[in-house]
Amino acid sequence: MNEYIIEKQTGMAFPLKKGDLISIIDIKGKQVADFFAVNAIDHREYFSAEVTIDCKESLLITKDDILYTNLYRPMFTLIEDDVGIHDVMIPCCRKEMYDHFFHNGDGHSNCFDNINQNLSEFGVPPFTTIRPLNVFMNTSVTSDKKIVIDPPLSKPGDRVILRAEMDAVVCISACSVSEGPCNDWKCKPIKVMIASGK
């Protein structure tokens, strides 16, 4: 078992083999972790929130659900989930997002850059947009179709565990938004544990 701490507003990438287990742990509570992955062999295949929604026919992703690639192939299975509320609608925060909503994008840490930079260490070309699984992010849709973001429901020590269904490179970013309720107005670290599937 290998353990890592992803400091607030930063990211890390990890190579996984099929069958490996990766745990994402909210150390202090109410902190979102952006989860994205690419096929370890063919980087043109990657986690797709859109396809995952299409295959499940739901915005609710929780225990026993499968995360799919852009080629409609199983990539991960969510085998444990302490919270049950995660987001698949919102793209990674990025400079342009901070400029749009908060007018402070210059120099602001963001998950889009964190993920692209860490994946580049494994030879993965940069993505022009990234729509991750936003672990612990608490979004809902109102009756008039408005998207609402509330503070996460995760408590200190809450976790999700995913099993890799293919060899992959995973990147996780501790979300950088302190300007709103996404992380309960305070950015915090995330813990990752990886166990071999052998």
Side-chain angles (χ1 to χ4, degrees):
M1 180 84 69
N2 294 314
E3 299 186 10
Y4 308 88
I5 299 295
I6 301 175
E7 297 297 340
K8 67 177 184 178
Q9 300 179 306
T10 68
M12 283 187 185
F14 313 92
L16 298 183
K17 293 292 186 183
K18 181 178 180 180
D20 286 354
L21 302 179
I22 183 166
S23 301
I24 304 168
I25 303 162
D26 189 350
I27 301 172
K28 297 186 177 181
K30 301 185 184 302
Q31 172 64 40
V32 171
D34 286 35
F35 174 97
F36 189 67
V38 299
N39 181 312
I41 305 302
D42 184 353
H43 301 153
R44 295 171 298 180
E45 183 174 23
Y46 52 87
F47 165 69
S48 172
E50 300 94 320
V51 172
T52 299
I53 293 168
D54 190 22
C55 289
K56 185 168 184 199
E57 301 179 88
S58 173
L59 292 171
L60 179 64
I61 305 299
T62 187
K63 186 176 184 293
D64 299 326
D65 284 337
I66 296 171
L67 306 183
Y68 288 87
T69 73
N70 57 312
L71 301 182
Y72 282 75
R73 297 203 305 152
M75 194 175 206
F76 288 89
T77 301
L78 187 52
I79 63 171
E80 287 191 28
D81 184 359
D82 290 339
V83 180
I85 298 294
H86 315 284
D87 171 75
V88 283
M89 294 185 290
I90 306 299
C92 280
C93 65
R94 57 191 294 167
K95 176 189 180 302
E96 294 84 357
M97 183 281 288
Y98 287 102
D99 283 337
H100 178 81
F101 288 108
F102 308 113
H103 314 292
N104 65 346
D106 286 343
H108 200 301
S109 59
N110 64 80
C111 291
F112 178 76
D113 288 340
N114 287 344
I115 290 175
N116 269 329
Q117 288 168 6
N118 281 277
L119 287 178
S120 71
E121 297 175 8
F122 292 85
V124 179
F127 286 83
T128 56
T129 187
I130 298 173
R131 191 163 156 191
L133 170 66
N134 293 302
V135 179
F136 307 129
M137 188 172 183
N138 184 12
T139 54
S140 57
V141 181
T142 68
S143 59
D144 60 353
K145 308 300 183 185
K146 180 176 175 60
I147 297 172
V148 177
I149 300 174
D150 288 315
L153 301 178
S154 52
K155 304 179 299 296
D158 280 347
R159 72 185 62 204
V160 299
I161 303 178
L162 299 108
R163 182 181 64 234
E165 305 298 347
M166 63 173 64
D167 293 355
V169 179
V170 170
C171 192
I172 298 168
S173 180
C175 179
S176 294
V177 179
S178 60
E179 292 84 354
C182 179
N183 299 301
D184 199 29
W185 289 274
K186 184 179 181 180
C187 296
K188 301 165 285 289
I190 288 287
K191 184 177 183 178
V192 172
M193 301 173 65
I194 297 175
S196 173
K198 295 179 179 179

